[in-house]
Amino acid sequence: MIDRLIEYDKTLFIFLNNLGSPTWDNFWLIITDTYTFIPLYALLLFLLYKKFGLKSLLIFVIIIALMITFTDQVTNIFKRTFERPRPCGEESLMGQIRFIAVRCGKYGFFSGHSANSMAAAVFAGLTLRSYYKNLIFMLLFWSAVVAYSRIYVGVHYPIDIICGLSFGALSGFAFYKIAKYLLKRYISV
């Protein structure tokens, strides 16, 4: 059963990866770049500051740093434990896929980009939902686009993405609850 799932995953990856074209390659390379969304993160921090104040922002920054570190390190543990090669590293796929990423990396289960973007989306969306009701939906869409970019550039299978998004959602929710508790206890928000 696992072998069949892995084959379906490879087949779906090949299909989704080959939807790309040179016309769109630069766009997706920008989307998948780690530093592209710094302005979005700065905007989210500004909104947190505007709605909760400076003391709360300091707690948010610490919680967000811990959340991203947590999701990133757990992702690395999974990659080293499962040692699933990335699609760009599998010679059997080389003639069938488009690899346009800057680098390939060794292992890909599960996607750190997906986990981190989803954790940030869930955390910020839940924290700011009483002020900006539709923000969470925009952030979830953004996270899905970032996740797909990893398939487009050829470095992650769909299961890597789904697991990364799921783990990120759980992490974002857990750290949202931690932040809510800390704000209630120390700031009285």
Side-chain angles (χ1 to χ4, degrees):
M1 176 155 157
I2 296 284
D3 291 335
R4 190 182 310 170
L5 181 63
I6 289 172
E7 282 308 310
Y8 286 142
D9 194 32
K10 284 183 180 181
T11 302
L12 182 58
F13 167 78
I14 291 168
F15 172 75
L16 293 172
N17 175 260
N18 279 292
L19 292 176
S21 72
T23 305
W24 289 97
D25 289 354
N26 285 332
F27 170 78
W28 288 103
L29 285 168
I30 291 169
I31 294 295
T32 205
D33 188 279
T34 305
Y35 300 108
T36 297
F37 292 101
I38 289 175
L40 174 63
Y41 299 139
L43 174 63
L44 292 173
L45 287 173
F46 173 74
L47 293 176
L48 290 169
Y49 164 72
K50 184 177 165 188
K51 296 302 179 185
F52 294 94
L54 185 58
K55 289 180 184 178
S56 297
L57 179 64
L58 295 175
I59 289 175
F60 286 133
V61 168
I62 292 168
I63 294 296
I64 292 167
L66 290 171
M67 177 181 71
I68 297 302
T69 301
F70 173 76
T71 57
D72 207 45
Q73 293 309 307
V74 171
T75 298
N76 289 333
I77 290 168
F78 269 73
K79 286 178 182 178
R80 289 185 199 114
T81 300
F82 287 96
E83 294 185 346
R84 183 182 190 196
R86 291 176 183 257
C88 53
E90 289 203 38
E91 287 189 34
S92 64
L93 297 178
M94 280 306 115
Q96 303 174 61
I97 68 169
R98 302 176 73 251
F99 172 63
I100 63 165
V102 177
R103 62 182 186 83
C104 182
K106 195 167 184 175
Y107 303 121
F109 183 77
F110 51 86
S111 169
H113 277 72
S114 298
N116 288 334
S117 65
M118 182 56 81
V122 169
F123 180 86
L126 290 175
T127 304
L128 292 165
R129 73 178 164 189
S130 60
Y131 304 104
Y132 307 101
K133 296 204 182 301
N134 293 321
L135 179 64
I136 192 164
F137 301 110
M138 291 185 283
L139 291 173
L140 293 174
F141 177 75
W142 157 76
S143 180
V145 169
V146 170
Y148 172 72
S149 75
R150 305 306 287 165
I151 294 171
Y152 186 99
V153 300
V155 297
H156 280 292
Y157 291 105
I159 287 178
D160 301 344
I161 300 303
I162 292 167
C163 291
L165 290 172
S166 300
F167 178 72
L170 292 172
S171 298
F173 181 76
F175 280 89
Y176 159 73
K177 288 293 197 179
I178 292 168
K180 192 173 169 181
Y181 168 78
L182 292 174
L183 289 176
K184 189 174 184 179
R185 180 169 177 143
Y186 295 108
I187 308 293
S188 301
V189 171

